[in-house]
Amino acid sequence: MSKLTLTSTVKLSSGYELPLVGLGVYKNDDCVPACLAALKHGYRHIDSARMYKNEEQVGDAVRESGVPREEVFVTSKVNNPEHGYEPALAAIDDSLKKFGFDYIDLILIHSPLSDKERRLQTWRALLEAKKQGKVRTIGVSNYGPRHLEEIREAGLETPSVNQVELHPLCQQKEIVEYCGKHGIVVEAYSPLIRGQWTDKIVEIAKKYNKDPAQFLVRWSLQRGFVTLPKSSQPARVVSNVDVYDFEISEEDVAAINALDKGKDGAITWNPVDAP
């Protein structure tokens, strides 16, 4: 494995580079301090969504940070009630306005919670927004293999990214395998398990003189996922990525891999089996 750093990236099928660590801003009503702390520390990736209602703040933080816009990879997501061709296009225009950006780096369909027809209409809208230069890369979130297959069977371009709940207790093996086969990068949300750490995680983290959050970020990176740790506290935003001075042994990675409970280990909505 080449040496990981906070600036490490993965090349997406769209040709753009995605930083392997991003700041999640879900349920953060005032995310400017967290975003500023992240950008100052060296993060170059922020994961927002229309549902989070903080795109405006993310845009403000990027401008206030002094980091050139083109150096920050910003994601948003089209919300479930906005599925459909015209609603999704309108949503993307609205997001551009809220961010105050000329383009968005990555737009995802937030979840499969509509139906096959509307999911495909929404995907066609994302393809159109990409063609128009409003969006650079497009992908999905919370999609199971069946939802991804709908896109393939319709003969449409494969998503570059699938963002799912992913941590040691819920490892989404079937989804990870499908994405690996089809060149889809997997992003892990809730990588810190919202603080619901098992004794085994705490015990192994201690062995490396790391707190469980740092240990879980490192596990996620070593497993080859793009990881999206979330905190509203600037100090935690910084400490969560103090993960580049150690490597988890194969034996300990295997011990953590063994904690998987499949879907029973999910701690969020995890709608990957939606009809």
mmCIF file of all heavy atoms in Angstrom, residues 69-72 96 99 101-105 133-136:
data_model
loop_
_atom_site.group_PDB
_atom_site.id
_atom_site.type_symbol
_atom_site.label_atom_id
_atom_site.label_comp_id
_atom_site.label_asym_id
_atom_site.label_seq_id
_atom_site.Cartn_x
_atom_site.Cartn_y
_atom_site.Cartn_z
ATOM 1 N N ARG A 69 -11.285 27.338 -4.888
ATOM 2 C CA ARG A 69 -12.457 26.480 -5.085
ATOM 3 C C ARG A 69 -12.087 25.166 -5.774
ATOM 4 O O ARG A 69 -12.577 24.089 -5.405
ATOM 5 C CB ARG A 69 -13.505 27.255 -5.921
ATOM 6 C CG ARG A 69 -14.616 26.394 -6.545
ATOM 7 C CD ARG A 69 -15.557 25.829 -5.500
ATOM 8 N NE ARG A 69 -16.517 24.883 -6.062
ATOM 9 C CZ ARG A 69 -16.396 23.566 -5.987
ATOM 10 N NH1 ARG A 69 -15.363 23.012 -5.374
ATOM 11 N NH2 ARG A 69 -17.325 22.769 -6.499
ATOM 12 N N GLU A 70 -11.218 25.239 -6.785
ATOM 13 C CA GLU A 70 -10.917 24.029 -7.568
ATOM 14 C C GLU A 70 -10.129 22.988 -6.763
ATOM 15 O O GLU A 70 -9.984 21.846 -7.185
ATOM 16 C CB GLU A 70 -10.193 24.369 -8.867
ATOM 17 C CG GLU A 70 -8.825 25.020 -8.722
ATOM 18 C CD GLU A 70 -8.891 26.543 -8.540
ATOM 19 O OE1 GLU A 70 -10.007 27.082 -8.331
ATOM 20 O OE2 GLU A 70 -7.831 27.170 -8.600
ATOM 21 N N GLU A 71 -9.632 23.386 -5.591
ATOM 22 C CA GLU A 71 -8.885 22.431 -4.758
ATOM 23 C C GLU A 71 -9.771 21.711 -3.742
ATOM 24 O O GLU A 71 -9.312 20.833 -3.016
ATOM 25 C CB GLU A 71 -7.748 23.158 -4.015
ATOM 26 C CG GLU A 71 -6.621 23.589 -4.930
ATOM 27 C CD GLU A 71 -5.511 24.305 -4.174
ATOM 28 O OE1 GLU A 71 -5.400 24.106 -2.945
ATOM 29 O OE2 GLU A 71 -4.777 25.073 -4.814
ATOM 30 N N VAL A 72 -11.042 22.111 -3.657
ATOM 31 C CA VAL A 72 -11.942 21.490 -2.674
ATOM 32 C C VAL A 72 -13.004 20.675 -3.405
ATOM 33 O O VAL A 72 -13.718 21.190 -4.263
ATOM 34 C CB VAL A 72 -12.635 22.557 -1.789
ATOM 35 C CG1 VAL A 72 -13.450 21.876 -0.684
ATOM 36 C CG2 VAL A 72 -11.618 23.514 -1.175
ATOM 37 N N LEU A 96 -26.607 24.691 -6.801
ATOM 38 C CA LEU A 96 -25.553 25.573 -7.330
ATOM 39 C C LEU A 96 -25.711 26.987 -6.776
ATOM 40 O O LEU A 96 -24.741 27.626 -6.368
ATOM 41 C CB LEU A 96 -25.600 25.606 -8.862
ATOM 42 C CG LEU A 96 -24.950 24.426 -9.588
ATOM 43 C CD1 LEU A 96 -25.356 24.418 -11.055
ATOM 44 C CD2 LEU A 96 -23.432 24.463 -9.453
ATOM 45 N N PHE A 99 -24.855 26.954 -2.898
ATOM 46 C CA PHE A 99 -23.396 26.895 -2.693
ATOM 47 C C PHE A 99 -22.726 28.192 -3.158
ATOM 48 O O PHE A 99 -21.681 28.581 -2.632
ATOM 49 C CB PHE A 99 -22.781 25.739 -3.488
ATOM 50 C CG PHE A 99 -22.911 24.374 -2.867
ATOM 51 C CD1 PHE A 99 -23.506 23.333 -3.575
ATOM 52 C CD2 PHE A 99 -22.410 24.101 -1.597
ATOM 53 C CE1 PHE A 99 -23.605 22.057 -3.035
ATOM 54 C CE2 PHE A 99 -22.504 22.821 -1.050
ATOM 55 C CZ PHE A 99 -23.110 21.801 -1.766
ATOM 56 N N PHE A 101 -21.625 28.289 -6.294
ATOM 57 C CA PHE A 101 -20.574 27.695 -7.122
ATOM 58 C C PHE A 101 -20.995 27.690 -8.595
ATOM 59 O O PHE A 101 -22.181 27.714 -8.917
ATOM 60 C CB PHE A 101 -20.316 26.235 -6.715
ATOM 61 C CG PHE A 101 -19.719 26.027 -5.347
ATOM 62 C CD1 PHE A 101 -19.808 24.785 -4.720
ATOM 63 C CD2 PHE A 101 -19.048 27.054 -4.676
ATOM 64 C CE1 PHE A 101 -19.255 24.566 -3.469
ATOM 65 C CE2 PHE A 101 -18.489 26.842 -3.421
ATOM 66 C CZ PHE A 101 -18.599 25.592 -2.815
ATOM 67 N N ASP A 102 -19.985 27.573 -9.475
ATOM 68 C CA ASP A 102 -20.244 27.395 -10.906
ATOM 69 C C ASP A 102 -20.483 25.926 -11.242
ATOM 70 O O ASP A 102 -21.046 25.590 -12.278
ATOM 71 C CB ASP A 102 -19.047 27.872 -11.747
ATOM 72 C CG ASP A 102 -18.797 29.356 -11.553
ATOM 73 O OD1 ASP A 102 -19.784 30.081 -11.317
ATOM 74 O OD2 ASP A 102 -17.625 29.786 -11.621
ATOM 75 N N TYR A 103 -19.975 25.047 -10.396
ATOM 76 C CA TYR A 103 -20.141 23.602 -10.621
ATOM 77 C C TYR A 103 -20.098 22.905 -9.261
ATOM 78 O O TYR A 103 -19.601 23.461 -8.275
ATOM 79 C CB TYR A 103 -19.025 23.041 -11.525
ATOM 80 C CG TYR A 103 -17.656 23.088 -10.878
ATOM 81 C CD1 TYR A 103 -17.186 22.014 -10.112
ATOM 82 C CD2 TYR A 103 -16.835 24.204 -10.993
ATOM 83 C CE1 TYR A 103 -15.935 22.069 -9.485
ATOM 84 C CE2 TYR A 103 -15.598 24.270 -10.374
ATOM 85 C CZ TYR A 103 -15.158 23.192 -9.618
ATOM 86 O OH TYR A 103 -13.936 23.250 -8.990
ATOM 87 N N ILE A 104 -20.631 21.686 -9.225
ATOM 88 C CA ILE A 104 -20.534 20.834 -8.035
ATOM 89 C C ILE A 104 -19.679 19.630 -8.430
ATOM 90 O O ILE A 104 -19.845 19.074 -9.520
ATOM 91 C CB ILE A 104 -21.937 20.393 -7.555
ATOM 92 C CG1 ILE A 104 -22.756 21.633 -7.156
ATOM 93 C CG2 ILE A 104 -21.833 19.436 -6.371
ATOM 94 C CD1 ILE A 104 -24.243 21.364 -6.971
ATOM 95 N N ASP A 105 -18.762 19.253 -7.565
ATOM 96 C CA ASP A 105 -17.840 18.156 -7.921
ATOM 97 C C ASP A 105 -18.551 16.821 -8.072
ATOM 98 O O ASP A 105 -18.280 16.059 -8.995
ATOM 99 C CB ASP A 105 -16.746 18.034 -6.859
ATOM 100 C CG ASP A 105 -15.864 19.266 -6.842
ATOM 101 O OD1 ASP A 105 -14.932 19.331 -7.654
ATOM 102 O OD2 ASP A 105 -16.147 20.191 -6.049
ATOM 103 N N GLY A 133 -22.124 20.596 -17.708
ATOM 104 C CA GLY A 133 -21.002 21.148 -16.947
ATOM 105 C C GLY A 133 -21.367 21.668 -15.564
ATOM 106 O O GLY A 133 -20.544 22.280 -14.883
ATOM 107 N N LYS A 134 -22.594 21.408 -15.143
ATOM 108 C CA LYS A 134 -23.017 21.867 -13.807
ATOM 109 C C LYS A 134 -22.449 20.962 -12.712
ATOM 110 O O LYS A 134 -22.288 21.361 -11.569
ATOM 111 C CB LYS A 134 -24.547 21.884 -13.710
ATOM 112 C CG LYS A 134 -25.195 22.907 -14.636
ATOM 113 C CD LYS A 134 -26.704 22.783 -14.632
ATOM 114 C CE LYS A 134 -27.330 23.853 -15.527
ATOM 115 N NZ LYS A 134 -28.798 23.739 -15.559
ATOM 116 N N VAL A 135 -22.197 19.728 -13.097
ATOM 117 C CA VAL A 135 -21.720 18.700 -12.181
ATOM 118 C C VAL A 135 -20.568 17.977 -12.864
ATOM 119 O O VAL A 135 -20.632 17.724 -14.071
ATOM 120 C CB VAL A 135 -22.865 17.684 -11.906
ATOM 121 C CG1 VAL A 135 -22.380 16.555 -11.046
ATOM 122 C CG2 VAL A 135 -24.057 18.370 -11.281
ATOM 123 N N ARG A 136 -19.533 17.650 -12.112
ATOM 124 C CA ARG A 136 -18.378 16.986 -12.740
ATOM 125 C C ARG A 136 -18.468 15.458 -12.693
ATOM 126 O O ARG A 136 -18.024 14.774 -13.605
ATOM 127 C CB ARG A 136 -17.092 17.460 -12.057
ATOM 128 C CG ARG A 136 -16.777 18.906 -12.423
ATOM 129 C CD ARG A 136 -15.429 19.336 -11.905
ATOM 130 N NE ARG A 136 -14.987 20.561 -12.573
ATOM 131 C CZ ARG A 136 -13.860 21.192 -12.286
ATOM 132 N NH1 ARG A 136 -13.071 20.737 -11.328
ATOM 133 N NH2 ARG A 136 -13.529 22.284 -12.950
#
